[in-house]
Amino acid sequence: MKQHKGMRPHDIVILLKIAAKESESWFMKDLAAELGISQSEISESLYRSMLAGLLASDKRKLMKSSLMEFLQFGLRHVYPQQPGSIVRGLPTAHSALPLSDLIQSEEPYVWPWAKGTERGQAIEPLHASVPEACQKDKKLYELLALVDAIRVGRAREKSIAINELNHRIFQQHEELNH
């Protein structure tokens, strides 16, 4: 049995990609292609997430309450981020939907990305492939932007982001029960 050496930032990206898929079936090769992360790293990530209690033992079903607890209370301590220099990139945190509709700010935040069209303070994404992957998946983009609001936001932004994440992660489950 492999030894667990702790979570890695891209594990969160992979878990949120699974959340974005909702009830859609998926294979590791799909996650790898859609996220730009190797299949072997996807496999190792799923194993780490299962050991951490964020995925069920089948390595497919999200443990939604545990994931939300980690995002709310652990994420900003494990993967902290400070806004950096002004760069071109893809908006994130309060500068991207859904928070950009709720929060007005003079300080735009972006993931550095050569193909980006906005300028703002650099926020390092949880994985280098995040901006490209988010161009292909609106749901994933919203989830990762909300996670960045937890990582870099002020108290109000964090609170709104947590509520929005709760709604998005648990939405599908609630809809199936109604």
Side-chain angles (χ1 to χ4, degrees):
M1 180 187 236
K2 289 187 206 171
Q3 187 177 12
H4 187 277
K5 296 184 177 153
M7 298 293 287
R8 297 189 182 154
H10 63 272
D11 296 342
I12 303 306
V13 176
I14 294 165
L15 290 167
L16 293 176
K17 180 64 177 180
I18 294 169
K21 288 187 168 292
E22 297 175 351
S23 60
E24 179 186 333
S25 65
W26 53 268
F27 295 99
M28 281 192 280
K29 66 180 178 143
D30 300 326
L31 296 180
E34 293 166 15
L35 293 173
I37 298 173
S38 73
Q39 284 190 50
S40 64
E41 193 53 55
I42 297 283
S43 176
E44 289 175 21
S45 173
L46 295 176
Y47 179 76
R48 286 190 298 270
S49 294
M50 185 265 306
L51 287 178
L54 303 175
L55 277 178
S57 59
D58 66 1
K59 298 184 198 167
R60 300 193 75 68
K61 181 179 179 272
L62 278 180
M63 305 307 288
K64 294 177 181 182
S65 294
S66 296
L67 177 60
M68 277 307 306
E69 183 179 328
F70 176 73
L71 294 176
Q72 183 172 357
F73 299 111
L75 184 77
R76 69 181 177 266
H77 302 293
V78 179
Y79 307 119
Q81 184 62 207
Q82 292 292 318
S85 59
I86 302 293
V87 298
R88 182 169 31 132
L90 187 63
T92 188
H94 63 266
S95 302
L97 289 173
L99 295 182
S100 61
D101 282 348
L102 304 170
I103 297 171
Q104 299 299 314
S105 176
E106 299 295 318
E107 301 171 0
Y109 291 160
V110 300
W111 291 312
W113 188 43
K115 296 178 185 175
T117 57
E118 303 292 323
R119 290 185 56 76
Q121 288 184 276
I123 301 297
E124 281 304 313
L126 292 168
H127 189 272
S129 69
V130 161
E132 196 77 41
C134 286
Q135 289 298 290
K136 302 173 197 167
D137 186 337
K138 180 183 177 240
K139 289 179 187 176
L140 176 65
Y141 185 10
E142 289 183 356
L143 293 173
L144 285 167
L146 290 166
V147 160
D148 275 353
I150 294 171
R151 292 171 67 209
V152 299
R154 294 177 185 96
R156 178 175 175 263
E157 294 158 353
K158 288 177 187 175
S159 176
I160 295 170
I162 289 164
N163 287 337
E164 289 291 326
L165 276 168
N166 260 313
H167 173 72
R168 284 165 171 72
I169 288 175
F170 287 101
Q171 175 183 9
Q172 181 228 356
H173 176 72
E174 291 167 3
E175 288 173 358
L176 291 176
N177 290 333
H178 285 101

